[in-house]
Amino acid sequence: MRHANIKHGSFHLEEHNMRITRARARASVLGSSGRLPPLHPSTKQDKKHVLGAESKRSKRSASDENRPGTSSTATGVQPKRRAVLKDMTNVLHENSHMNCINGSKIQVKKGSDKRNNKAKPAVSVKLSQLQEKGKEDIADKVKKVKVEGSQEISSGANCKEDMLPQLSRYVTPAQCGLVHLVPVNRSSCKAIPLQDIMKKDESKVCRKQEGFANLGVADIDSRHKDPLMCSLYAPDIYNNLHAIEFDRRPSVDYLEKLQLDINKGMRGILIDWLVEVSEEYRLVPDTLYLTVNLIDRFLSENYIEKQKLQLLGVTCMLIASKFEEICAPRVEEFCFITDNTYSKEEVIKMESRVLNLLSFQLASPTTKKFLRRFIQAAQASYKVPSVELEFMANYLAELTLVDYGFLKFLPSLTAASAVFLARWTLDQSNHPWNPTLEHYTRYKVSELRTTVFALQELQMNTSGCTLNAIREKYRQPKFKSVATLAASKPVQSLF
């Protein structure tokens, strides 16, 4: 490494192994002369020292010559020179002067250290002159930018799309300090009045109501202003349910083809017992319907022994509770309801088995989901909503859960038949079907005949079934004792 020793105002270069730091160099310079060498000697001074031909020197060059350290040029050591400020051309030509001035400001701040307090006044004078000149240029450019920006706004000219990524790659208005100069084209952002939107929605509703009125169909979705009713999305939701019910339905003959240890009676006993369990824990009806759906879908694809049938039942109810309930019962409660026949580990293991077999596809359109929509359509013909109609339709729909033969009917068809028979049971003066029900259920009267006949046999209990959990449930006064009601006229006369 090179080490500079200052002797009598001149530099002597020596080879030295010690590393020279700024502190040591400063200490050596101050120790010999007591003054700092000039920060940036001019090129004119370098030529004067090298050539030594000129005899006349200015006062400023003479003062520089008498200062220590100016003879360094004579020895061939060139001090590090500052970069010359120049026009740094960029994509945004208008902002190039801002980059130069910002750079000069940064350099001035860096050079304003205590170590450079004794630098030449010529450097500060030049910098101040450059700054003043740059500010004047910026002021002129800013005026041009304002004029050009206003002209562009008035003419409606827009930037080319291919230039946008290039502009974002370089200087932004925020970096140049010209944020307040960026024009905002507020004329392009046209506010749409709320009244226009409301008028369009009202016109759509009016056209829809006129179309329904011509067909004799009541619009059941326009009467609900409660957002929780999802009246705007209800048609799309039930269109989706009608499509999914074909994919998520169980096999209609799995007891004959797959299951050897289980028969119709065992399945009926299990579901009748699960009705009592749902009443004991006060579960919502959707949990019971989903439980039966999960049982049938599992038995349609997997063989199971009769000793594990009750375990499958409580496990499916546990899964359905987690899916439908706000506060689902714990695993220990389902173990307790089976008189601890099965342990917690067995229930958890069966739960994993069921979920993996069904690929976690639990959202299945059951009869209860369609029943809500169809009851709402049936209530449209009443001036006052009928509570008995709702309870009767739910009673008839739950009776189909126990009967294995109803697996051959789609859930939507079963729900429509339950509403048909419920209306006929409560009122035999009018036909239970109308254009509104036909529109929302998508079934004609002729398509309901077989299902309605089978459902009436369940209602009258013509087979003498001893499973009475559902009947006892709907004999209670809170359900208006609809299980005790029956139609005085046969339903066969309607077809």
Side-chain angles (χ1 to χ4, degrees), residues 257-480:
K257 293 183 177 181
L258 183 60
Q259 304 299 330
L260 302 177
D261 261 2
I262 303 172
N263 53 32
K264 299 178 183 179
M266 293 180 182
R267 178 189 176 276
I269 292 172
L270 174 65
I271 296 174
D272 188 75
W273 175 73
L274 290 175
V275 172
E276 296 178 355
V277 174
S278 64
E279 284 292 297
E280 180 69 21
Y281 290 116
R282 298 181 180 181
L283 304 179
V284 296
D286 298 81
T287 303
L288 178 63
Y289 281 90
L290 183 57
T291 300
V292 178
N293 179 266
L294 295 178
I295 292 172
D296 290 329
R297 288 170 62 190
F298 180 84
L299 294 177
S300 299
E301 300 181 13
N302 196 357
Y303 171 80
I304 194 173
E305 301 83 3
K306 60 181 179 182
Q307 293 83 5
K308 301 291 184 180
L309 183 60
Q310 189 179 14
L311 175 62
L312 175 64
V314 294
T315 302
C316 290
M317 181 161 279
L318 172 65
I319 297 172
S321 300
K322 291 180 180 180
F323 190 82
E324 297 287 356
E325 300 290 336
I326 298 176
C327 297
R330 298 177 301 169
V331 182
E332 292 82 3
E333 296 182 70
F334 286 106
C335 295
F336 173 77
I337 205 69
T338 61
D339 197 15
N340 294 321
T341 305
Y342 308 102
S343 63
K344 179 180 178 180
E345 289 74 16
E346 290 178 310
V347 176
I348 295 175
K349 186 177 180 180
M350 179 61 74
E351 180 184 14
S352 175
R353 185 180 173 185
V354 172
L355 291 174
N356 283 294
L357 182 67
L358 300 180
S359 301
F360 289 84
Q361 295 179 353
L362 305 180
S364 180
T366 60
T367 303
K368 181 63 178 178
K369 295 186 182 300
F370 292 103
L371 195 62
R372 286 193 178 93
R373 179 77 166 173
F374 299 165
I375 290 175
Q376 185 181 357
Q379 299 279 15
S381 59
Y382 294 100
K383 295 182 180 180
V384 180
S386 176
V387 181
E388 289 82 0
L389 174 62
E390 184 176 354
F391 291 152
M392 178 63 73
N394 280 281
Y395 164 63
L396 296 174
E398 286 189 23
L399 286 177
T400 62
L401 295 176
V402 183
D403 196 327
Y404 171 75
F406 270 83
L407 290 178
K408 60 186 177 183
F409 301 118
L410 290 173
S412 59
L413 181 59
T414 303
S417 301
V419 173
F420 184 97
L421 187 58
R423 294 194 65 182
W424 178 250
T425 303
L426 297 176
D427 185 14
Q428 292 91 34
S429 60
N430 297 320
H431 197 281
W433 215 239
N434 53 39
T436 301
L437 285 168
E438 182 177 341
H439 173 76
Y440 288 104
T441 62
R442 305 182 182 183
Y443 292 109
K444 298 180 180 180
V445 179
S446 58
E447 298 174 335
L448 302 176
R449 179 177 179 177
T450 305
T451 313
V452 170
F453 288 168
L455 191 57
Q456 189 183 34
E457 292 180 359
L458 286 179
Q459 182 187 18
M460 304 302 295
N461 196 15
T462 56
S463 60
C465 181
T466 58
L467 304 175
N468 295 322
I470 297 175
R471 302 180 192 278
E472 293 296 331
K473 172 184 176 181
Y474 283 93
R475 283 195 182 102
Q476 301 177 32
K478 66 178 181 178
F479 293 112
K480 302 296 182 181

Side-chain angles (χ1 to χ4, degrees), residues 97-108:
H97 295 281
M98 288 300 299
N99 295 334
C100 298
I101 292 304
N102 290 336
S104 63
K105 289 181 179 179
I106 294 172
Q107 292 176 3
V108 171

Side-chain angles (χ1 to χ4, degrees), residues 15 26 37 43 58 72 76 92 104 116-117 132 137 146 231 251 263 302 338 374 397 404 474 477:
E15 294 295 327
R26 184 173 179 272
T43 56
S58 62
S72 61
L92 293 177
S104 63
N116 300 329
N117 289 334
E132 291 178 359
D137 295 339
K146 287 183 178 180
S231 300
S251 176
N263 53 32
N302 196 357
T338 61
F374 299 165
Y404 171 75
Y474 283 93

Side-chain angles (χ1 to χ4, degrees), residues 9 17 30 63 217 232 253 283 328 384 473 482 493:
N17 294 328
L30 293 179
S63 62
V217 177
L232 183 62
D253 54 355
L283 304 179
V384 180
K473 172 184 176 181
V482 293
S493 59

Side-chain angles (χ1 to χ4, degrees), residues 22-125:
R22 293 182 180 179
R24 289 176 180 173
R26 184 173 179 272
S28 62
V29 173
L30 293 179
S32 59
S33 62
R35 300 179 65 182
L36 285 171
L39 184 60
H40 295 290
S42 62
T43 56
K44 292 183 180 180
Q45 294 173 1
D46 297 339
K47 292 180 180 179
K48 289 174 185 178
H49 285 287
V50 175
L51 299 177
E54 296 180 3
S55 58
K56 294 182 180 181
R57 297 178 181 177
S58 62
K59 296 181 180 180
R60 183 172 182 178
S61 62
S63 62
D64 293 341
E65 189 178 5
N66 295 328
R67 293 181 183 177
T70 55
S71 60
S72 61
T73 56
T75 60
V77 179
Q78 294 292 336
K80 187 177 181 180
R81 301 177 60 187
R82 188 181 298 275
V84 180
L85 295 176
K86 58 182 179 179
D87 185 11
M88 303 295 290
T89 306
N90 205 337
V91 176
L92 293 177
H93 298 283
E94 295 81 1
N95 300 330
S96 60
H97 295 281
M98 288 300 299
N99 295 334
C100 298
I101 292 304
N102 290 336
S104 63
K105 289 181 179 179
I106 294 172
Q107 292 176 3
V108 171
K109 289 182 180 179
K110 289 182 178 180
S112 62
D113 195 7
K114 293 181 179 179
R115 295 176 295 179
N116 300 329
N117 289 334
K118 297 181 180 181
K120 284 186 177 182
V123 177
S124 60
V125 171

Side-chain angles (χ1 to χ4, degrees), residues 142 144-154 157-159 173 178-189:
V142 165
K144 292 181 180 179
V145 170
K146 287 183 178 180
V147 174
E148 292 175 358
S150 60
Q151 291 176 357
E152 289 179 359
I153 293 173
S154 60
N158 297 324
C159 297
L178 300 175
V179 179
H180 61 284
L181 297 178
V182 178
V184 179
N185 191 2
R186 290 190 174 89
S187 61
S188 61
C189 302

